[in-house]
């Protein structure tokens, strides 16, 4: 499965291939029961068409900087469709590629009567798949899934949820560095980190263009949410962090380039057709396409809509006022509701009103967290329930950095916060307690029938585990099982030394940390404690969540090189956990 190497035009600002009208994608993104969206990046202004059977759907490209993009909405599909599709650019078939060794890509829509099978994972560096890179980064679990699906060794998930760090803007591969060095002086800031939108475009191309993953993403629906590395390690950790980085000359271009490219490459594919129509920026794409369709045929060649100013204006506003735009979204999957929460850009950092979620975001989340569904899934890049020892440590650090023990210690607390990444929900205690109260309200049956489980799905921490809220919640009236399932990394293993500490935070250090936290009246004691019941595991992996009536079975799957065949890893099972829901 070695396709020809792409041809690059060195003059292209984004360093993208020029030998095909299709640059990146197609990616099958949103799926409902009767509709699907397909995203693509093209080389030129063009019309992108999806055909399946005797149906076809088209969208003209829009432009952001030097990139041309289209999101085609395929609607009117039968419930639970599973049909082959093709992609055309200006009438020319570009996908599947003529000599593709992969199965034909398919449009797969949901069937709410079928038990949900949801894959999820996070943290994936974009490195090659040879022996050298596998030795350094481990095997790419996503690509291993692709190969297993090609071989027919694996059941198809309905949807893949990518829960953060889809790209690493601050930790670049040799390929990315070569591209950066071809454009600018890497001795000047931000060095080998991503500088702007154009470099992000190249980064996304590297992340999603290797043949097996590209095929997988063209035929497996996906939803996504950013985490810090999509922008930068520790993004929005604290007000001090925010102030420090805003004093650099390079940060502004990086942030707006990162958020603008996130909107284009990740966010719009999360939205259902009606949400696209309601989106203040995407509505312009639809209006432009409608005017084109309604006009005389000569209008079909009219200028491409240039969204650059609109998208960059949006992200400038988002940077100053996070509440003006919502990156979070919700998907109804039949037996499950999946609510995906932005735990990075919606943060309020001002020390006097520090919160994980701004007011609007918190109100929106409150409205989404309801019962009358078998399983309520809450996707948040950062684990809501950390290993208890780490939770206590972050809570202690938050009150210390806020000045509870005086200014000298506050500076030490801030330093530790930034160096050791103490910036999860535990380090934003007000938001943590508010969301826990919402969840308890759902679990008590105050918002419709109590779900069998309320399950947080997360990544970020480079280890995987399951944590259960203890019986204390039931004693306070909770009827749902409340649980945290973490899957991280898809490909970016944790250094050995840190694994010992992380295991301690889940086990041996729990009691000492709790004793330390309890000694201080200022450190809040969680009202409903939890324990890590399974894990941690440190393998590169993705997870599969299978609904089985009131229960969930979660299986973590990794990849293993056998017989020195680095290009064709085998799928392995890292762990399997049955989460018993309430009956
Ligand atoms: Fe992260």
């Amino acid at each position: 499965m070695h396709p020809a190497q792409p041809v690059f035009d060195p003059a292209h600002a984004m360093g993208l291939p020029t030998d095909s009208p299709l640059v990146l994608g197609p990616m099958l993104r949103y799926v409902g029961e009767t509709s699907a969206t397909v995203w693509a990046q093209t080389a030129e202004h063009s019309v992108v068409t999806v055909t399946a059977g005797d149906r076809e759907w088209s969208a003209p490209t829009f432009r952001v900087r030097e990139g041309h993009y289209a999101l085609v909405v395929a609607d009117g599909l039968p419930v639970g469709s599973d049909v082959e599709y093709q992609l055309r650019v200006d009438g020319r078939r570009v996908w599947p590629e003529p000599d593709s060794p992969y199965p034909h890509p398919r449009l797969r829509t949901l069937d709410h009567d079928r038990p949900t099978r949801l894959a999820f994972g996070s943290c994936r560096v974009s490195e090659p798949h040879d022996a050298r890179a596998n030795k350094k980064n481990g095997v790419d679990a996503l690509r291993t899934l692709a190969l297993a699906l090609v071989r027919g060794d694996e059941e198809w998930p309905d949807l893949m949820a990518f829960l953060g760090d889809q790209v690493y803007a601050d930790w670049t591969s040799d390929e990315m560095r070569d591209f950066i060095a071809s454009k600018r002086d890497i001795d000047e800031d931000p060095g080998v980190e991503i500088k702007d939108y154009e470099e992000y475009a190249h980064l996304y191309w590297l992340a999603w263009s290797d043949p097996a993953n590209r095929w997988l993403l063209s035929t497996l629906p996906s939803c996504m949410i950013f985490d810090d590395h999509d922008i930068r390690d520790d993004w929005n950790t604290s007000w001090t962090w925010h102030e420090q980085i805003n004093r650099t000359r390079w940060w502004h271009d990086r942030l707006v380039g990162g958020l603008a490219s996130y909107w284009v490459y990740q966010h719009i594919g999360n939205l259902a057709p009606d949400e696209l129509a309601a989106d203040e920026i995407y509505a312009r794409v639809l209006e432009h396409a409608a005017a084109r369709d309604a006009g005389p045929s000569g209008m079909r060649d009219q200028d491409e809509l240039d969204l650059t100013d609109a998208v960059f204006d949006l992200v400038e506003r988002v940077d100053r006022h996070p509440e003006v735009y919502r990156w979070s979204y919700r998907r109804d999957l039949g037996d499950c509701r999946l609510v995906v929460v932005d735990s990075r850009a919606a943060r309020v950092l001002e020390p006097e009103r520090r919160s994980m979620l701004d007011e609007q975001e918190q109100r929106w989340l409150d409205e989404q967290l309801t019962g009358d569904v078998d399983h309520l899934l809450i996707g948040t890049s950062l684990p809501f329930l950390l290993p208890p020892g780490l939770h206590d440590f972050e809570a202690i650090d938050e009150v210390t950095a806020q000045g509870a023990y005086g200014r000298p210690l506050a500076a030490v607390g801030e330093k530790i916060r930034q160096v050791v990444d103490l910036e999860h929900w535990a380090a934003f205690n007000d938001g943590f307690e508010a969301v826990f109260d919402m969840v308890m309200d759902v679990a008590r049956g105050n918002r419709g029938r109590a779900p069998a489980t309320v399950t947080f799905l997360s990544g970020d921490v480079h280890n995987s585990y399951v944590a259960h809220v203890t019986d204390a919640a039931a004693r306070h009236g909770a009827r749902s099982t409340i649980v945290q399932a973490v899957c991280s990394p898809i490909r970016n293993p944790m250094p050995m030394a840190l694994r010992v500490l992380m295991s301690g935070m889940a086990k041996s250090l729990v009691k000492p940390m709790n004793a330390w936290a309890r000694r201080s009246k200022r450190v809040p004691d969680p009202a409903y404690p939890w324990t890590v019941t399974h894990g941690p595991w440190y393998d590169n992996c993705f997870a599969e969540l299978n609904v089985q009536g009131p229960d969930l079975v979660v299986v973590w799957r990794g990849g293993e090189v056998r017989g020195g065949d680095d290009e064709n890893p085998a799928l392995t099972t890292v762990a399997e956990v049955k989460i018993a829901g309430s009956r």
Side-chain angles (χ1 to χ4, degrees):
M1 295 186 185
H2 290 281
Q5 288 297 309
V7 177
F8 293 97
D9 173 2
H12 195 295
M14 296 171 174
L16 299 174
T18 54
D19 54 342
S20 164
L22 180 67
V23 172
L24 186 59
M27 293 171 75
L28 179 57
R29 296 298 317 274
Y30 170 84
V31 286
E33 281 199 302
T34 60
S35 60
T37 67
V38 178
W39 178 98
Q41 181 176 6
T42 59
E44 304 279 350
H45 170 204
S46 42
V47 173
V48 177
T49 303
V50 171
T51 62
D54 57 0
R55 302 284 312 275
E56 69 170 51
W57 306 264
S58 292
T61 55
F62 61 88
R63 179 181 182 136
V64 176
R65 290 275 173 85
E66 299 296 309
H68 308 272
Y69 310 92
L71 187 66
V72 181
V73 176
D75 54 9
L77 291 160
V79 172
S81 299
D82 187 356
V83 290
E84 290 185 358
Y85 80 93
Q86 298 179 350
L87 194 85
R88 295 173 190 277
V89 174
D90 283 344
R92 178 177 155 193
R93 175 179 147 169
V94 291
W95 196 267
E97 291 171 318
D99 305 323
S100 172
Y102 297 96
H104 208 104
R106 307 179 79 87
L107 293 179
R108 302 165 192 279
T109 60
L110 302 177
D111 177 350
H112 287 177
D113 291 333
R114 224 170 38 204
T116 294
R117 187 179 173 85
L118 172 73
F120 67 99
S122 68
C123 313
R124 178 172 169 269
V125 291
S126 311
E127 294 275 356
H129 302 285
D130 53 21
R132 189 173 150 261
N134 282 346
K135 192 157 182 257
K136 186 171 127 221
N137 305 290
V139 171
D140 179 1
L142 185 66
R143 185 169 175 277
T144 309
L145 169 63
L147 298 176
L149 289 169
V150 169
R151 290 192 296 263
D153 291 350
E154 183 64 4
E155 252 185 79
W156 281 86
D158 300 306
L159 174 69
M160 170 66 110
F162 290 101
L163 295 175
D165 300 338
Q166 275 70 259
V167 290
Y168 279 71
D170 49 355
W171 185 7
T172 49
S173 64
D174 290 345
E175 287 85 350
M176 188 68 220
R177 290 173 184 208
D178 288 347
F179 172 65
I180 293 172
S182 74
K183 281 184 61 191
R184 60 177 170 85
D185 185 354
I186 56 169
D187 290 330
E188 288 180 15
D189 284 339
V192 293
E193 294 191 22
I194 302 300
K195 182 172 184 285
D196 54 20
Y197 186 91
E198 284 70 19
E199 293 184 9
Y200 264 108
H202 194 79
L203 184 67
Y204 278 109
W205 184 82
L206 284 173
W208 294 339
S209 63
D210 78 84
N213 283 316
R214 188 176 182 184
W215 166 79
L216 180 68
L217 295 170
S218 77
T219 194
L220 175 63
S222 59
C223 62
M224 307 178 180
I225 190 74
F226 44 48
D227 197 37
D228 54 345
H229 291 283
D230 294 270
I231 302 294
R232 194 173 202 243
D233 190 22
D234 302 348
W235 176 31
N236 283 346
T237 288
S238 65
W239 180 251
T240 308
W241 181 92
H242 181 264
E243 294 296 284
Q244 284 168 347
I245 204 144
N246 270 293
R247 282 198 283 273
T248 67
R249 277 194 301 175
W250 54 271
W251 175 246
H252 178 261
D253 281 357
R254 163 72 155 279
L255 179 71
V256 295
L259 283 176
S261 59
Y262 177 81
W263 189 90
V264 171
Y265 285 81
Q266 300 198 47
H267 177 66
I268 55 176
N270 292 332
L271 303 181
D274 60 331
E275 294 167 326
L276 288 169
D279 184 87
E280 63 173 275
I281 309 299
Y282 201 82
R284 297 186 197 198
V285 176
L286 296 172
E287 280 162 24
H288 192 265
R292 175 184 162 278
D293 286 347
S297 57
M299 268 194 76
R300 310 243 156 137
D301 297 323
Q302 72 178 355
D303 287 346
E304 185 179 35
L305 175 67
D306 190 340
L307 267 190
T308 306
D309 289 347
V311 174
F312 276 78
D313 173 65
L314 170 75
V315 300
E316 295 266 5
R317 282 186 283 132
V318 163
D319 181 35
R320 289 192 300 272
H321 305 288
E323 67 280 5
V324 302
Y325 197 73
R326 177 162 46 76
W327 304 100
S328 306
Y329 55 92
R330 159 184 160 174
R331 295 272 183 102
D332 285 314
L333 307 175
D335 48 18
C336 300
R337 176 175 310 132
L338 173 64
V339 180
V340 179
V341 192
D342 155 20
S343 52
R344 282 286 171 190
R347 294 178 177 192
V348 179
L349 298 176
E350 287 87 340
E352 60 279 6
R353 49 190 203 103
R354 182 178 155 86
S355 178
M356 186 65 104
L357 305 175
D358 64 56
E359 228 173 273
Q360 280 86 336
E361 191 79 18
Q362 195 154 305
R363 199 174 315 129
W364 175 85
L365 180 60
D366 208 0
E367 288 163 10
Q368 311 312 311
L369 299 187
T370 58
D372 290 331
V373 66
D374 294 350
H375 299 275
L376 178 60
L377 309 177
I378 306 170
T380 158
S381 62
L382 304 173
F384 188 73
L385 302 176
L386 282 175
L390 187 54
H391 179 96
D392 285 334
F393 188 41
E394 294 205 5
I396 293 164
D397 186 75
E398 186 193 24
V399 297
T400 308
Q402 300 286 86
Y405 305 108
R407 282 181 64 179
L409 275 180
V412 175
E414 178 62 36
K415 187 87 192 154
I416 294 174
R417 173 150 73 189
Q418 290 190 28
V419 170
V420 206
D421 294 4
L422 304 183
E423 37 102 20
H424 297 83
W425 286 87
F428 288 81
N429 190 61
D430 288 352
F432 176 79
E433 288 184 348
V435 173
F436 217 139
D437 286 345
M438 294 173 200
V439 164
M440 284 297 289
D441 216 26
V442 175
R444 288 185 182 110
N446 294 340
R447 301 181 178 200
R449 172 174 55 88
T453 79
V454 179
T455 303
F456 289 96
L457 304 176
S458 307
D460 178 60
V461 288
H462 302 265
N463 65 95
S464 301
Y465 63 87
V466 175
H468 274 77
V469 174
T470 65
D471 293 346
R475 287 198 296 277
H476 284 83
R479 281 182 250 154
S480 314
T481 301
I482 305 173
V483 65
Q484 168 82 64
V486 176
C487 181
S488 163
I490 293 174
R491 195 187 196 196
N492 189 3
M494 179 185 275
M496 284 293 174
L498 278 177
R499 297 183 189 189
V500 178
L501 179 65
M502 196 52 72
S503 295
M505 291 297 192
K507 292 170 184 159
S508 57
L509 291 173
V510 171
K511 276 192 178 158
M513 280 294 164
N514 189 249
W516 184 12
R518 280 176 164 231
R519 276 223 309 269
S520 167
K521 289 196 173 58
R522 294 187 174 94
V523 179
D525 212 12
Y528 315 106
W530 61 93
T531 55
V532 172
T533 51
H534 303 82
W537 310 288
Y538 298 96
D539 308 66
N540 283 351
C541 56
F542 65 93
E544 292 166 347
L545 178 150
N546 303 280
V547 173
Q548 293 186 358
D551 304 328
L552 300 175
V553 175
V554 188
V555 189
W556 284 257
R557 315 294 303 273
E560 187 176 87
V561 173
R562 291 181 185 158
D565 188 0
D566 279 87
E567 290 280 336
N568 292 291
L571 198 61
T572 60
T573 296
V574 175
E576 179 170 333
V577 176
K578 182 170 182 172
I579 296 167
S582 64
R583 284 159 164 82

